[in-house]
Amino acid sequence: MEKGAEGMDFGSQIKKLRTSRKLTQEQLAQKLNVSRQTISSWENNRNLPDLEMVVMIAKTFQLSLDRLILGDPTMTTKLMNDSSEVRKMRINLYATIIMILTGIGCFLLSTMIGSTIDSNGVLHEPFFLIPIGYLFLLMGLISGFIYLFRKLRKQS
């Protein structure tokens, strides 16, 4: 087990862990299923790994996550922001699904209720359900596009 590196940035920690085990960047990259350039960018603090990769790194070096993460405030902040972003995206996805289903439900309800003409010749129909249905569908589609845009932006 490595001695904790409090106050050391994440890149320095990774490099120290790698070199102490006499691994090249290429060898570590193979263990983690990433490119050598990715390892280099971590070690030079150009990029930081996501939480899933941090877990793999901790397992590879047999470290606890707190030893790996808490030494670098930048890494801690990044992982907290990533978590917050994932939560926002999940809420956006649920909202999208609910809005689209509500829109479809309005159309179905309008069809099920149907229209009737009373004895005075007045037409009674749930006309308000149609524009509400379109409104919910439109909001759902907009929300869906926002979700996809964020997801694509996060992957790049």
Side-chain angles (χ1 to χ4, degrees), residues 2 12-25 28 43 61:
E2 258 329 282
S12 299
Q13 288 183 72
I14 291 295
K15 187 171 187 171
K16 182 179 177 190
L17 290 165
R18 178 180 62 76
T19 56
S20 71
R21 287 167 176 74
K22 298 181 180 17
L23 292 172
T24 65
Q25 287 183 343
L28 179 56
E43 289 183 358
F61 291 121

Side-chain angles (χ1 to χ4, degrees), residues 103 106-107 110 126-138:
C106 286
F107 293 128
S110 172
F127 67 92
F128 62 90
L129 288 174
I130 301 299
I132 291 174
Y134 280 119
L135 178 65
F136 274 105
L137 280 178
L138 180 63

Side-chain angles (χ1 to χ4, degrees), residues 21-51:
R21 287 167 176 74
K22 298 181 180 17
L23 292 172
T24 65
Q25 287 183 343
E26 186 67 41
Q27 291 168 326
L28 179 56
Q30 287 174 353
K31 284 179 179 274
L32 298 174
N33 267 343
V34 297
S35 69
R36 185 205 57 77
Q37 290 82 0
T38 300
I39 301 297
S40 175
S41 73
W42 293 342
E43 289 183 358
N44 292 307
N45 293 308
R46 287 190 304 268
N47 272 324
L48 291 171
D50 61 15
L51 182 58

